[in-house]
C-alpha cells in the first residue's frame, strides 16, 4: 500500500516515528531466511518499506511466529492482497 514511512513505522512500533517520506509498505507471510554477515535470521512474517522510483526495499523487519504483529493495515490506506498460488 502507498503510505508514508512514518505511518507504517508507527503501526509496527507504536509511539515511534520516522519521516514523511512516501513509501509502499508490504507484508508477507512465509518461510524467510536472511543470509548475510552474522547469524542467519529466520521468520514467518516480513514487513518491507519500498521507496520509488526506482522501486527498492530500503528497510525491512523479519519476525518469528511469536512476534508476528497483529496490524490493522487499513489504517494506512487501501489494502491489496495477493493470493499465493498452490
Amino acid at each position: 500500500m502507498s503510505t508514508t514511512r512514518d505511518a507504517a513505522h508507527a503501526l509496527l512500533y507504536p509511539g515511534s516515528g520516522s519521516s514523511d517520506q512516501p513509501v509502499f509498505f508490504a507484508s508477507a507471510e512465509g518461510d524467510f531466511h536472511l543470509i548475510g554477515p552474522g547469524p542467519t535470521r529466520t521468520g514467518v512474517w516480513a514487513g518491507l518499506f519500498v521507496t520509488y522510483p526506482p522501486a527498492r526495499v530500503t528497510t525491512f523487519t523479519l519476525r518469528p511466529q511469536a512476534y508476528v504483529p497483529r496490524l490493522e493495515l487499513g489504517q494506512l490506506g487501501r489494502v491489496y492482497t495477493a493470493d499465493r498460488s498452490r
Side-chain angles (χ1 to χ4, degrees):
M1 73 193 39
S2 179
T3 187
T4 64
R5 182 176 297 279
D6 190 57
H9 194 271
L11 193 62
L12 286 171
Y13 307 100
S16 66
S18 185
S19 76
D20 288 334
Q21 177 186 28
V23 296
F24 288 112
F25 179 75
S27 66
E29 294 180 14
D31 184 21
F32 301 103
H33 302 269
L34 178 63
I35 300 168
T40 298
R41 292 177 51 197
T42 62
V44 297
W45 185 90
L48 309 171
F49 292 81
V50 182
T51 58
Y52 55 93
R56 180 181 349 191
V57 174
T58 55
T59 309
F60 69 92
T61 182
L62 186 61
R63 308 270 178 98
Q65 184 65 48
Y67 295 97
V68 171
R70 303 293 175 227
L71 304 176
E72 292 294 332
L73 294 177
Q75 294 176 26
L76 299 176
R78 187 169 179 184
V79 175
Y80 297 89
T81 61
D83 292 328
R84 182 171 59 168
S85 43
R86 298 193 184 255

